Amino acid sequence: MLVDRSVSKPRAWPPTTDSALMFEQLRCAMLRDRFGHWCHTLLACFFAFASALNHAPLNIASAMLISCAIIRLHATWRAMPSMLRNPALIPCALLTAWLLTSLLWTSSQNDAKSDLSMLRWVVILPAIWPVLDHARAIAIAFILGTMVQNAAQLLQLADLLHRPESNPWRHAGIVDHPGDSALRSAMTVVLATSLACASSGTARALFVLAAVSALTGVFIAAGRGQILALIIALPVLFALLSRGGFISKRAITRSAVVALAVCAIVLPTVGRSTLRYVDEVPGQISAATSGSDVVSPVASRMQWWSDAHSLWLEHPLVGNGLGSFSARPLESSDEHAWSKHPHNTYLGVLCEGGLIGLGLLFWMLAALLRAGWRNARDDALACGACAALAVVLVSALTSDPQYREMSVASTMLVVAFGSLPLVRGWNT
């Protein structure tokens, strides 16, 4: 049986004394600034919604949210040190500093500057944290944004909405890149499922509908990496929900049956793009290994990964600097499948940040997952956020979400839901 845990306990980090002090500071601050707090919350919801649409609305929402957070520092600054002492943020800051330092020796200053968008986590997390007492509302806005994207995908599939010429058969909806669309939908699948387990009645039915819609969106966009990520993330999600007492073993079995039934219906109808990719993969692997194909998705990735490895060997400890991969020398055969990034987050950080950068990345990820694992004991939303972060980490094996503005924004939201302390109760 499912258990209604929609109202979760305050998270236990920082330690009890710091936590009590932090909550009291924030409560007093918000009581003096109720209007500002509600404006800040609405802008956070707008940001979560817009991060599913496209770059223009996302940039507008980002500017509004960050500006509001800066204006409200007079009410929140006393509690910021408590948030910044969260150990999950220490490696984030160190990795950011290291990547910025790599600008001193990078071989491509212009490409490095364009890649600095990946560092927006520095401002997104502090901007969201003061309103995490409304994390559930922000998560719902996150889900609604994805559903708008999914609706646009269905309209494209029915030839009722313009299809981008660059991807005539991978329908991404309003988003300009199928990878962004598929990643956001896959993250929404686990977030909506976790909220369904913490709800009842009509709310539960709506969250289940959102999860089904998002799963359909993954298949329409033909997100192969995201499908693999869901195969891993969904068991992680149900394990976390079961540990927290949010779902029973019988409910897990029923959920698995429903998921398989949805796949059986969706794939032959609106998921033909995914089936096409699955059919082509064996041939692409064979052609890529024999050297007869250099432009297929599989062959291109193998070439990019080889280029990243060769580039890393030039400076294994400190790397070649942010943006250096796009400035690498190319052979004539490589020019047909050129890419600015290696389509593997870990290889990308390795070749540009060296072993030091990769070590800081793994430290950051370990700290985030550890904080999320701890928070997931008491909060179903944190369970979904941990699973959504797992989606991102698995997808990063075949893509570069850290360089995609929309993917960075979505990832920072689930990091906030899962790894930061949720402040509850002080807005009453």
Side-chain angles (χ1 to χ4, degrees), residues 90-405:
I90 296 174
C92 291
L94 292 177
L95 178 60
T96 301
W98 178 251
L99 292 175
L100 288 174
T101 303
S102 75
L103 295 176
L104 298 175
W105 60 79
T106 183
S107 57
S108 178
Q109 289 286 347
N110 291 332
D111 291 314
K113 291 176 182 178
S114 67
D115 286 342
L116 289 178
S117 62
M118 68 182 289
L119 303 182
R120 61 175 60 199
W121 62 54
V122 176
V123 290
I124 291 178
L125 288 179
I128 295 173
W129 180 69
V131 293
L132 279 183
D133 62 321
H134 295 293
R136 184 183 174 92
I138 300 171
I140 291 173
F142 184 102
I143 293 169
L144 289 175
T146 308
M147 294 186 73
V148 171
Q149 167 196 296
N150 299 149
Q153 289 177 279
L154 290 172
L155 291 175
Q156 287 177 339
L157 197 64
D159 291 323
L160 298 175
L161 189 67
H162 173 70
R163 304 181 184 185
E165 296 179 0
S166 57
N167 289 286
W169 54 280
R170 293 183 66 192
H171 310 304
I174 304 173
V175 185
D176 63 357
H177 191 279
D180 286 339
S181 177
L183 180 61
R184 174 66 177 234
S185 291
M187 296 167 73
T188 301
V189 170
V190 292
L191 271 183
T193 302
S194 68
L195 288 175
C197 294
S199 306
S200 59
T202 303
R204 179 179 298 169
L206 291 174
F207 283 128
V208 170
L209 177 62
V212 171
S213 170
L215 183 60
T216 302
V218 175
F219 289 132
I220 295 176
R224 295 158 297 173
Q226 289 71 42
I227 293 172
L228 173 62
L230 282 175
I231 293 174
I232 296 173
L234 283 172
V236 170
L237 172 65
F238 288 126
L240 291 173
L241 290 170
S242 178
R243 183 188 66 154
F246 298 103
I247 193 171
S248 66
K249 293 182 179 179
R250 178 177 295 180
I252 293 175
T253 303
R254 291 176 179 173
S255 300
V257 171
V258 170
L260 292 174
V262 171
C263 293
I265 296 172
V266 168
L267 283 173
T269 53
V270 299
R272 289 186 292 272
S273 298
T274 296
L275 293 176
R276 172 178 171 176
Y277 260 144
V278 172
D279 291 339
E280 292 178 351
V281 165
Q284 289 181 4
I285 293 176
S286 176
T289 52
S290 66
S292 61
D293 180 15
V294 295
V295 296
S296 70
V298 172
S300 299
R301 279 170 170 75
M302 291 177 66
Q303 182 61 56
W304 298 331
W305 298 342
S306 175
D307 291 345
H309 179 261
S310 300
L311 188 63
W312 167 64
L313 292 177
E314 296 179 9
H315 301 283
L317 184 60
V318 300
N320 295 269
L322 195 64
S324 58
F325 182 83
S326 59
R328 70 195 185 282
L330 296 173
E331 299 179 2
S332 58
S333 60
D334 299 339
E335 295 175 355
H336 299 290
W338 180 84
S339 173
K340 185 177 179 180
H341 302 121
H343 283 64
N344 183 299
T345 293
Y346 312 103
L347 284 175
V349 173
L350 183 64
C351 74
E352 296 187 348
L355 290 173
I356 294 177
L358 187 65
L360 291 172
L361 175 65
F362 285 151
W363 180 18
M364 178 184 77
L365 296 178
L368 291 174
L369 291 172
R370 181 172 178 268
W373 171 265
R374 181 175 56 244
N375 293 336
R377 291 181 181 275
D378 304 313
D379 187 4
L381 178 57
C383 296
C386 287
L389 186 57
V391 168
V392 177
L393 299 184
V394 176
S395 299
L397 292 170
T398 57
S399 62
D400 302 280
Q402 79 274 24
Y403 294 119
R404 309 287 304 177
E405 293 178 351

